[in-house]
Amino acid sequence: MGHTATLPGEPLRGSDRTRFSRPAVEIAPQLLGGILSRTAPEGRVSLRITEVEAYLGVGEDPGSHSFRGRTASNSAMFGEPLHLYTYFTYGMHTCANIVCSPEGSASGVLIRAGEIVEGAELAGRRRGASVKPRDLARGPARLVIALGIPLADGGADLTASPYELRMPVHPVAVETGPRTGLGGPGGTLAYPWRFWIPGDPTVSPYKRHPKLPAVDLP
């Protein structure tokens, strides 16, 4: 295993779960600038979170996987906060979310993009030799590959090995807008629940669903 960097802040513990027992729309902007790490046998990769999206629970958010209730595939969203919710999309990609709200409420924060701050060599091997540093975790599927998160880690405790989550030591500037790629009401300006650090090169480009009207973003 390679050199382990000293990261700012302290890893969250089980006692911090109450901080996440609030709706994802409150937690999501507070995660920007925080650091998510995963340790594997070949080493640890850590990223500074630069872009997220919030999703609420049953009957509240038409863009959420939990909108119509609990299923076998989304059950982790209904669990304790500070656990991982993973899902498979487009038949080829895994995405990762941080579960928020009290158990049973099913809100979560999709980690959309980040800057690799530790383990860049390992992240590069996972992503491919030709990938630029800013693109290693620029997008939710790329991010999961860079960190080495498997779909089977759904339900994993983010306060326990192999994960660590650190909240930002200093607040950062935040921009907000509609969530990317969603069709229907969940992708409109009525749900401005995508949050990002303005000007950060690792933030993924906004992609409007083709059936929705164009919006003017910063």
Side-chain angles (χ1 to χ4, degrees):
M1 189 178 294
H3 172 70
T4 300
T6 300
L7 301 171
E10 293 294 326
L12 296 178
R13 303 301 181 197
S15 57
D16 293 302
R17 252 181 258 287
T18 54
R19 297 173 59 184
F20 282 71
S21 294
R22 292 181 288 135
V25 290
E26 297 180 22
I27 298 295
Q30 298 176 17
L31 285 165
L32 294 175
I35 295 175
L36 177 62
S37 306
R38 186 178 188 276
T39 301
E42 62 269 38
R44 184 169 77 172
V45 175
S46 302
L47 63 83
R48 182 178 65 94
I49 300 168
T50 60
E51 181 189 1
V52 296
E53 286 180 348
Y55 291 86
L56 294 187
V58 180
E60 296 180 279
D61 178 1
S64 176
H65 289 176
S66 64
F67 183 62
R68 291 181 173 83
R70 187 169 187 154
T71 66
S73 60
N74 69 15
S75 61
M77 280 192 79
F78 291 81
E80 277 190 320
L82 271 181
H83 283 251
L84 194 67
Y85 165 54
T86 59
Y87 65 88
F88 203 51
T89 185
Y90 296 114
M92 58 194 303
H93 299 307
T94 298
C95 295
N97 303 254
I98 297 172
V99 176
C100 303
S101 296
E103 189 170 359
S105 297
S107 79
V109 178
L110 171 66
I111 309 301
R112 281 201 56 87
E115 174 196 7
I116 302 297
V117 294
E118 178 187 24
E121 182 180 348
L122 175 55
R125 292 203 303 270
R126 289 169 172 166
R127 289 276 291 114
S130 64
V131 176
K132 297 177 181 179
R134 76 160 194 176
D135 293 328
L136 288 173
R138 192 177 184 225
R142 295 172 174 180
L143 180 152
V144 162
I145 294 170
L147 282 175
I149 299 175
L151 182 66
D153 272 14
D157 189 346
L158 292 174
T159 71
S161 178
Y163 289 96
E164 288 183 349
L165 178 62
R166 293 168 165 82
M167 297 301 281
V169 175
H170 304 290
V172 299
V174 178
E175 289 280 2
T176 183
R179 296 174 295 195
T180 187
L182 291 184
T188 66
L189 288 170
Y191 298 87
W193 295 343
R194 174 175 171 253
F195 305 89
W196 67 94
I197 298 176
D200 193 290
T202 65
V203 172
S204 65
Y206 170 73
K207 293 183 179 179
R208 174 180 58 86
H209 191 279
K211 293 185 178 179
L212 293 179
V215 295
D216 186 19
L217 294 179

